[in-house]
Amino acid sequence: MDRRVQPRISSDEVAQVTVFGDKTQQVSGRVANLTGRGMQLIVSRSIPPGTALSIDTPDRLYMGEVVYCNCEGLSYRVGVEVEQALRHTDDLARLRDAISEMSLAEVRVNRRMIR
């Protein structure tokens, strides 16, 4: 029995997912469905529950936390509790660019440490 209070809205929207943790990583995916406080993503790799994410879609930026991750063949179905959802604006574009730059800077630092 589905105990959901809010309806699930099907989607097939492209998403760029930023996975925060010891090292920030980017993964492409799709939004499978949305509810008022959550979403389900389809991605190519496992993302552990409790992991903080940003999900960038063509019209919104979501911030949330992974609540489950289930393997389905070659992909993973990830449940996300959404904490913030922001419509794309000029300010949001600058924030998204700053997050991307943080990710690139971290990669550069990690490469230097390995050498």
Side-chain angles (χ1 to χ4, degrees):
M1 178 167 97
D2 192 359
R3 291 176 274 172
R4 223 177 283 293
V5 174
Q6 298 172 330
R8 207 184 289 207
I9 301 167
S10 292
S11 176
D12 190 31
E13 197 167 35
V14 173
Q16 184 65 35
V17 181
T18 302
V19 181
F20 299 105
D22 291 338
K23 52 183 183 169
T24 302
Q25 298 177 358
Q26 301 255 336
V27 62
S28 295
R30 298 194 83 69
V31 177
N33 63 59
L34 296 157
T35 66
R37 294 280 301 150
M39 72 170 49
Q40 192 176 78
L41 300 172
I42 307 296
V43 295
S44 60
R45 69 176 200 79
S46 177
I47 305 173
T51 302
L53 303 172
S54 72
I55 301 113
D56 191 5
T57 67
D59 66 338
R60 295 201 192 294
L61 176 68
Y62 300 90
M63 304 297 284
E65 183 177 317
V66 175
V67 292
Y68 68 84
C69 181
N70 298 323
C71 182
E72 291 188 358
L74 298 176
S75 62
Y76 293 84
R77 198 168 284 268
V78 178
V80 178
E81 181 178 358
V82 174
E83 298 295 329
Q84 293 285 327
L86 305 167
R87 287 194 329 217
H88 281 290
T89 63
D90 289 338
D91 289 338
L92 185 56
R94 285 191 288 279
L95 175 60
R96 183 184 60 229
D97 292 344
I99 290 171
S100 292
E101 284 301 313
M102 282 183 356
S103 300
L104 290 174
E106 185 176 284
V107 167
R108 288 185 197 114
V109 168
N110 287 337
R111 283 186 184 157
R112 284 189 208 128
M113 293 174 70
I114 292 171
R115 292 179 189 185

